Amino acid sequence: MTTARAIRLHAFGGPEVLQLETVELPPPAAGEVEVRQTAIGFNYIDVYQRKGIYPLPSPTGLGHEAAGVVEAAGLGVTDLKVGDRVAYINAGIGAYADRRVLPAEKLVPIPANVTDEEAAALIFKGLTAQYLVRKTHKVAPGDIVVVHAAAGGVGQILSSWAKALGAFVIGTAGSPEKCAIAKAAGCDVAIDYSKDGWVEEVIAATSGKKARVVYDSVGRDTFLKSLDLIAPFGLMVLYGAASGPVEPFNTEVLNKKGCLFLTRPSIFPHNADVATLRENAADLFEAVAKGWVKASIGARFPLADVAAAHQAAEARATTGAILLVP
C-alpha cells in the first residue's frame, strides 16, 4: 500500500491546527486513478474551512485544487493513462497532500502549453473567473466592470479576461502597490479602496457612468458602498467575503439604488458534472492560449509550511496565487 504526506485537521482554529501526517493510500479502485501531486493550489475558502466557518467533518483534510501526474489507474479508466498530467477542483476535500487516489471523472487533462504550476494556480481561480465573465454576467464590449481585490489571484484573471472581452475595467485594491499590480493585469483604472472617497473615484473614472456589473469577493468592507457604483438594472455579484460576511440588510435598498440585481454564485454548481467541468476548463485553457489569462503566482510554500501560507493569505500579504509545493 502506498503512503502519502497529507495535511490533516483534528480541530478547527488558527493556522497552527494544520498538521502534516503520513497516511496510507489504497490502490485505485474501478474508475479511480492515483495522482502524484506536483503543485497544490490555495483558495480563500480553505481559510474558512480551517476555521470552521464553513463546516467540515473532523478530522479532515483540506484543499480543493491541485495538479499532478497519473501514476496508476483502476479498472474501467479509459480516458486517462499513466503519465497523463491532470488537474482538479472538486474531487473531494484533501488536496493538501503529495499523493491522492481520485475519481477519474473529476480530473481535467492539462494541455501541453500549460505547466503543472500554472494549472494548479489557474484551475480554481480561472474557473471562478470563467463562470463570472461567461455565465453570471456575459461580459460584452463596452461594459463597465468593477473588480474588487483586482490584485488577488481571481482578481487578476477576472480583470484581464474582462478586458479581453472588451470591457472597461475598474479595479480596486488595498494599497498603491496592489493597484499597480491590478493595472498590470489589465485594469484600465485601479483605485485604492483603503482610502476615503474611493466610491467617488470609481465613478469619476468613467465621467459619471456607472457599472454594468460589480464583482465583489471582499464582502463586508465593500458591499454596501458598491451598490452606489452600479447603473440601474445592473448586477451586484458577491462571490466571496475576505473581509467578513455581509451584514443583513433591507433588500428595499436594491430597489432604491436602481432596481439592482444581486447574486451569490459559487464555482461548484457551475462545474457539477464531468462534461460541464471539462467544457469550462477547455474555455479557460483556450483563454490562456490566446493570452487573455495568465497564471500569476505570488508565493510558493513547501507543503510542510502550510501554516505560513495561511498566515500570509489572511494578512493579505501576497498578490496573485499561492501554491503549496509537495
Side-chain angles (χ1 to χ4, degrees), residues 74-189:
L75 292 174
V77 176
T78 58
D79 54 349
L80 295 173
K81 64 183 184 302
V82 173
D84 282 353
R85 298 164 54 242
V86 293
Y88 64 88
I89 60 163
N90 190 22
I93 201 83
Y96 290 9
D98 62 4
R99 288 179 180 269
R100 295 190 76 189
V101 172
L102 301 166
E105 67 178 8
K106 297 292 188 179
L107 302 176
V108 173
I110 302 173
N113 64 305
V114 177
T115 69
D116 290 7
E117 283 201 345
E118 288 172 331
L122 285 171
I123 191 69
F124 199 117
K125 299 167 184 65
L127 285 177
T128 298
Q130 192 269 345
Y131 80 72
L132 290 172
V133 301
R134 296 294 204 188
K135 298 178 180 181
T136 305
H137 171 75
K138 292 185 178 180
V139 173
D143 279 354
I144 297 172
V145 170
V146 175
V147 178
H148 288 314
V154 175
Q156 290 187 53
I157 299 168
L158 181 54
S159 298
S160 62
W161 205 336
K163 181 63 180 175
L165 292 172
F168 183 85
V169 182
I170 303 171
T172 71
S175 70
E177 293 77 14
K178 290 186 176 182
C179 284
I181 291 167
K183 284 274 287 183
C187 292
D188 293 282
V189 178

Side-chain angles (χ1 to χ4, degrees), residues 1-8 20-26 28 33-40 62 66-72 82 88 93-102 303 325-326:
M1 187 171 287
T2 306
T3 60
R5 296 161 60 245
I7 298 299
R8 302 287 291 171
L20 182 64
E21 300 179 3
T22 299
V23 298
E24 291 188 344
L25 289 184
V33 297
E34 180 183 323
V35 178
R36 174 177 53 83
Q37 301 199 149
T38 54
I40 302 161
L62 203 64
V69 180
V70 175
E71 295 264 293
V82 173
Y88 64 88
I93 201 83
Y96 290 9
D98 62 4
R99 288 179 180 269
R100 295 190 76 189
V101 172
L102 301 166
L303 181 60
V325 182

